[in-house]
Coordinates of all heavy atoms in Angstrom, one line a residue:
D18 N 21.6 -60.0 -222.2 CA 22.3 -59.9 -220.9 C 22.2 -58.4 -220.4 O 22.0 -58.1 -219.3 CB 23.7 -60.4 -221.0 CG 23.8 -61.8 -221.1 OD1 22.9 -62.6 -220.8 OD2 24.9 -62.4 -221.5
L19 N 22.5 -57.5 -221.4 CA 22.4 -56.1 -221.0 C 21.0 -55.7 -220.5 O 20.9 -55.0 -219.5 CB 22.7 -55.2 -222.2 CG 24.2 -55.0 -222.6 CD1 24.3 -54.3 -224.0 CD2 24.9 -54.2 -221.6
C20 N 20.0 -56.2 -221.2 CA 18.7 -55.9 -220.7 C 18.3 -56.5 -219.4 O 17.7 -55.9 -218.5 CB 17.7 -56.4 -221.8 SG 17.7 -55.5 -223.3
S21 N 18.8 -57.7 -219.2 CA 18.5 -58.4 -217.9 C 19.2 -57.8 -216.8 O 18.7 -57.8 -215.6 CB 18.9 -59.9 -218.0 OG 18.1 -60.6 -219.0
N22 N 20.4 -57.2 -217.0 CA 21.1 -56.6 -215.9 C 20.9 -55.2 -215.7 O 21.5 -54.5 -214.8 CB 22.7 -56.8 -216.2 CG 23.0 -58.3 -216.1 OD1 22.5 -59.1 -215.4 ND2 24.0 -58.7 -217.0
S23 N 19.9 -54.6 -216.4 CA 19.6 -53.2 -216.3 C 18.1 -53.1 -216.0 O 17.3 -53.7 -216.5 CB 20.0 -52.5 -217.6 OG 19.5 -51.2 -217.5
N24 N 17.8 -52.1 -215.1 CA 16.4 -51.8 -214.8 C 15.9 -50.7 -215.7 O 14.8 -50.1 -215.4 CB 16.2 -51.5 -213.3 CG 16.4 -52.7 -212.5 OD1 16.2 -53.8 -212.9 ND2 16.9 -52.5 -211.2
E25 N 16.7 -50.3 -216.7 CA 16.4 -49.2 -217.5 C 16.4 -49.6 -219.0 O 17.0 -50.6 -219.3 CB 17.4 -48.0 -217.3 CG 17.4 -47.4 -216.0 CD 16.1 -46.7 -215.6 OE1 15.5 -46.1 -216.5 OE2 15.7 -46.8 -214.5
P26 N 15.7 -48.9 -219.8 CA 15.7 -49.2 -221.3 C 17.1 -48.9 -221.8 O 17.9 -48.1 -221.3 CB 14.7 -48.2 -221.9 CG 13.9 -47.6 -220.7 CD 14.8 -47.8 -219.5
I27 N 17.4 -49.6 -222.9 CA 18.7 -49.4 -223.6 C 18.4 -48.7 -224.9 O 17.5 -49.2 -225.7 CB 19.4 -50.7 -223.8 CG1 19.8 -51.3 -222.5 CG2 20.6 -50.5 -224.7 CD1 20.2 -52.8 -222.5
F28 N 19.0 -47.6 -225.2 CA 18.7 -46.8 -226.4 C 19.7 -47.3 -227.5 O 20.8 -47.4 -227.3 CB 18.9 -45.3 -226.1 CG 18.0 -44.8 -225.1 CD1 18.3 -44.8 -223.7 CD2 16.7 -44.4 -225.4 CE1 17.4 -44.4 -222.8 CE2 15.8 -43.9 -224.4 CZ 16.2 -43.9 -223.1
V29 N 19.0 -47.5 -228.7 CA 19.8 -48.0 -229.8 C 19.8 -46.8 -230.9 O 18.8 -46.3 -231.2 CB 19.1 -49.2 -230.5 CG1 19.9 -49.7 -231.6 CG2 19.0 -50.3 -229.4
T30 N 21.1 -46.6 -231.3 CA 21.2 -45.5 -232.3 C 21.5 -46.1 -233.7 O 22.1 -47.2 -233.8 CB 22.4 -44.6 -232.0 OG1 23.6 -45.3 -231.9 CG2 22.2 -43.9 -230.6
K31 N 21.1 -45.3 -234.7 CA 21.4 -45.7 -236.1 C 22.0 -44.4 -236.8 O 21.3 -43.4 -236.8 CB 20.1 -46.1 -236.8 CG 20.3 -46.5 -238.2 CD 18.9 -47.0 -238.8 CE 19.1 -47.5 -240.2 NZ 17.8 -47.9 -240.7
N32 N 23.2 -44.5 -237.3 CA 23.9 -43.4 -237.9 C 24.0 -42.2 -236.9 O 23.9 -41.0 -237.3 CB 23.2 -42.9 -239.2 CG 23.2 -44.0 -240.2 OD1 24.2 -44.8 -240.3 ND2 22.1 -44.1 -241.0
G33 N 24.1 -42.5 -235.6 CA 24.3 -41.5 -234.6 C 23.1 -40.9 -234.0 O 23.1 -40.0 -233.2
Y34 N 21.9 -41.3 -234.5 CA 20.6 -40.8 -234.1 C 19.8 -41.9 -233.4 O 19.9 -43.0 -233.7 CB 19.8 -40.3 -235.3 CG 20.5 -39.1 -235.9 CD1 21.3 -39.3 -237.1 CD2 20.3 -37.8 -235.4 CE1 21.9 -38.2 -237.7 CE2 20.9 -36.7 -236.1 CZ 21.7 -36.9 -237.2 OH 22.3 -35.9 -237.8
G35 N 19.0 -41.5 -232.4 CA 18.2 -42.4 -231.7 C 17.2 -43.1 -232.7 O 16.6 -42.5 -233.5
D36 N 17.1 -44.4 -232.5 CA 16.3 -45.2 -233.5 C 15.2 -46.0 -232.8 O 14.1 -46.1 -233.2 CB 17.2 -46.1 -234.4 CG 16.4 -46.8 -235.5 OD1 15.7 -46.1 -236.2 OD2 16.5 -48.0 -235.6
M37 N 15.7 -46.7 -231.7 CA 14.7 -47.6 -231.0 C 15.2 -47.8 -229.5 O 16.3 -47.4 -229.2 CB 14.6 -48.9 -231.7 CG 15.8 -49.8 -231.7 SD 15.6 -51.4 -232.5 CE 16.0 -50.9 -234.2
V38 N 14.3 -48.4 -228.7 CA 14.7 -48.7 -227.4 C 14.3 -50.2 -227.1 O 13.4 -50.7 -227.6 CB 13.8 -47.9 -226.4 CG1 14.0 -48.2 -225.0 CG2 14.0 -46.4 -226.7
V39 N 15.2 -50.9 -226.4 CA 15.0 -52.3 -226.0 C 15.1 -52.4 -224.5 O 15.8 -51.6 -223.8 CB 16.0 -53.3 -226.7 CG1 15.8 -53.3 -228.2 CG2 17.4 -52.9 -226.4
M40 N 14.4 -53.3 -223.9 CA 14.4 -53.5 -222.5 C 13.9 -54.9 -222.2 O 13.3 -55.6 -223.0 CB 13.5 -52.5 -221.7 CG 12.1 -52.5 -222.0 SD 11.1 -51.3 -221.2 CE 11.3 -49.9 -222.4
S41 N 14.2 -55.3 -221.0 CA 13.7 -56.7 -220.5 C 12.2 -56.7 -220.3 O 11.6 -55.6 -220.1 CB 14.4 -57.1 -219.2 OG 13.9 -56.3 -218.2
M42 N 11.6 -57.8 -220.4 CA 10.2 -58.0 -220.1 C 9.8 -57.4 -218.7 O 8.8 -56.8 -218.5 CB 9.7 -59.4 -220.3 CG 9.7 -59.9 -221.7 SD 8.5 -59.0 -222.8 CE 7.0 -59.5 -222.0
K43 N 10.7 -57.7 -217.7 CA 10.5 -57.3 -216.4 C 10.4 -55.8 -216.3 O 9.5 -55.2 -215.7 CB 11.6 -57.8 -215.5 CG 11.5 -57.4 -214.0 CD 12.6 -58.0 -213.2 CE 12.5 -57.6 -211.8 NZ 13.5 -56.6 -211.4
T44 N 11.4 -55.1 -216.9 CA 11.4 -53.6 -216.9 C 10.2 -53.1 -217.7 O 9.5 -52.2 -217.2 CB 12.7 -53.1 -217.6 OG1 13.8 -53.6 -216.8 CG2 12.8 -51.6 -217.7
Y45 N 9.8 -53.7 -218.8 CA 8.7 -53.3 -219.5 C 7.4 -53.4 -218.7 O 6.6 -52.4 -218.7 CB 8.6 -54.1 -220.8 CG 7.4 -53.8 -221.7 CD1 7.3 -52.6 -222.4 CD2 6.3 -54.7 -221.7 CE1 6.2 -52.4 -223.2 CE2 5.2 -54.4 -222.5 CZ 5.1 -53.3 -223.2 OH 4.0 -53.0 -224.0
E46 N 7.2 -54.5 -218.0 CA 6.0 -54.7 -217.2 C 6.0 -53.7 -216.1 O 4.9 -53.2 -215.7 CB 5.9 -56.1 -216.8 CG 5.6 -57.1 -217.9 CD 5.8 -58.6 -217.5 OE1 6.3 -58.9 -216.5 OE2 5.4 -59.4 -218.4
E47 N 7.1 -53.5 -215.4 CA 7.2 -52.5 -214.4 C 6.8 -51.1 -214.9 O 6.1 -50.4 -214.2 CB 8.6 -52.5 -213.7 CG 8.9 -53.7 -212.9 CD 10.3 -53.8 -212.5 OE1 11.2 -53.0 -212.9 OE2 10.7 -54.7 -211.7
K48 N 7.3 -50.7 -216.0 CA 7.0 -49.4 -216.6 C 5.5 -49.3 -216.9 O 4.9 -48.3 -216.6 CB 7.8 -49.1 -217.9 CG 9.3 -49.1 -217.6 CD 9.9 -47.8 -217.4 CE 11.4 -47.8 -217.3 NZ 11.9 -47.0 -216.3
L49 N 4.9 -50.3 -217.5 CA 3.5 -50.3 -217.7 C 2.7 -50.2 -216.5 O 1.7 -49.4 -216.4 CB 3.1 -51.6 -218.5 CG 3.4 -51.6 -220.0 CD1 2.9 -52.9 -220.6 CD2 2.7 -50.5 -220.7
A50 N 3.1 -50.9 -215.4 CA 2.4 -50.9 -214.2 C 2.4 -49.5 -213.6 O 1.4 -49.0 -213.1 CB 2.9 -51.9 -213.2
R51 N 3.6 -48.9 -213.7 CA 3.8 -47.5 -213.2 C 2.9 -46.5 -213.9 O 2.3 -45.7 -213.4 CB 5.2 -47.1 -213.2 CG 5.5 -45.8 -212.5 CD 7.0 -45.4 -212.4 NE 7.7 -46.4 -211.6 CZ 8.8 -47.1 -212.0 NH1 9.3 -46.9 -213.2 NH2 9.3 -47.9 -211.2
M52 N 2.9 -46.7 -215.3 CA 2.0 -45.8 -216.1 C 0.5 -46.0 -215.7 O -0.2 -45.0 -215.6 CB 2.2 -46.1 -217.6 CG 3.4 -45.4 -218.1 SD 3.6 -45.5 -219.9 CE 2.6 -46.8 -220.5
D53 N 0.1 -47.2 -215.5 CA -1.3 -47.5 -215.1 C -1.6 -46.8 -213.8 O -2.7 -46.2 -213.6 CB -1.6 -49.0 -215.0 CG -1.6 -49.6 -216.4 OD1 -1.8 -48.9 -217.4 OD2 -1.5 -50.9 -216.4
M54 N -0.7 -46.9 -212.8 CA -0.9 -46.3 -211.5 C -1.0 -44.8 -211.7 O -1.9 -44.2 -211.1 CB 0.3 -46.6 -210.6 CG 0.2 -46.0 -209.3 SD 1.7 -46.2 -208.2 CE 2.9 -45.2 -209.1
Y55 N -0.1 -44.2 -212.5 CA -0.2 -42.7 -212.7 C -1.5 -42.3 -213.4 O -2.1 -41.3 -213.0 CB 1.0 -42.2 -213.5 CG 2.3 -42.3 -212.8 CD1 3.5 -42.5 -213.5 CD2 2.4 -42.0 -211.4 CE1 4.7 -42.6 -212.9 CE2 3.7 -42.1 -210.8 CZ 4.8 -42.3 -211.5 OH 6.0 -42.4 -210.9
E56 N -1.9 -43.1 -214.3 CA -3.2 -42.8 -215.0 C -4.4 -42.9 -214.0 O -5.3 -42.1 -214.0 CB -3.4 -43.7 -216.1 CG -2.5 -43.4 -217.3 CD -2.7 -44.4 -218.5 OE1 -3.5 -45.3 -218.4 OE2 -1.9 -44.2 -219.5
S57 N -4.3 -43.9 -213.1 CA -5.4 -44.0 -212.1 C -5.4 -42.8 -211.1 O -6.4 -42.3 -210.7 CB -5.2 -45.3 -211.3 OG -5.4 -46.4 -212.1
I58 N -4.2 -42.4 -210.7 CA -4.0 -41.2 -209.8 C -4.6 -40.0 -210.5 O -5.4 -39.2 -209.9 CB -2.6 -41.0 -209.4 CG1 -2.2 -42.1 -208.5 CG2 -2.4 -39.7 -208.7 CD1 -0.7 -42.2 -208.1
L59 N -4.2 -39.8 -211.8 CA -4.7 -38.6 -212.5 C -6.2 -38.7 -212.7 O -6.9 -37.6 -212.5 CB -4.1 -38.5 -213.9 CG -2.6 -38.1 -213.9 CD1 -2.0 -38.2 -215.3 CD2 -2.4 -36.7 -213.3
A60 N -6.8 -39.8 -212.9 CA -8.2 -40.0 -213.0 C -8.9 -39.6 -211.7 O -10.0 -39.0 -211.7 CB -8.6 -41.4 -213.5
G61 N -8.3 -40.1 -210.6 CA -8.9 -39.8 -209.3 C -8.8 -38.3 -209.0 O -9.7 -37.7 -208.4

Side-chain angles (χ1 to χ4, degrees):
D18 290 342
L19 280 173
C20 289
S21 295
N22 294 326
S23 174
N24 291 332
E25 296 295 324
I27 297 169
F28 298 90
V29 181
T30 61
K31 182 177 180 182
N32 298 324
Y34 296 96
D36 187 52
M37 66 180 86
V38 177
V39 293
M40 65 183 82
S41 69
M42 289 296 294
K43 179 180 179 254
T44 300
Y45 177 73
E46 289 169 352
E47 288 170 354
K48 300 266 184 219
L49 280 180
R51 188 173 294 126
M52 281 190 338
D53 288 344
M54 178 187 66
Y55 290 147
E56 287 176 3
S57 295
I58 290 170
L59 288 173

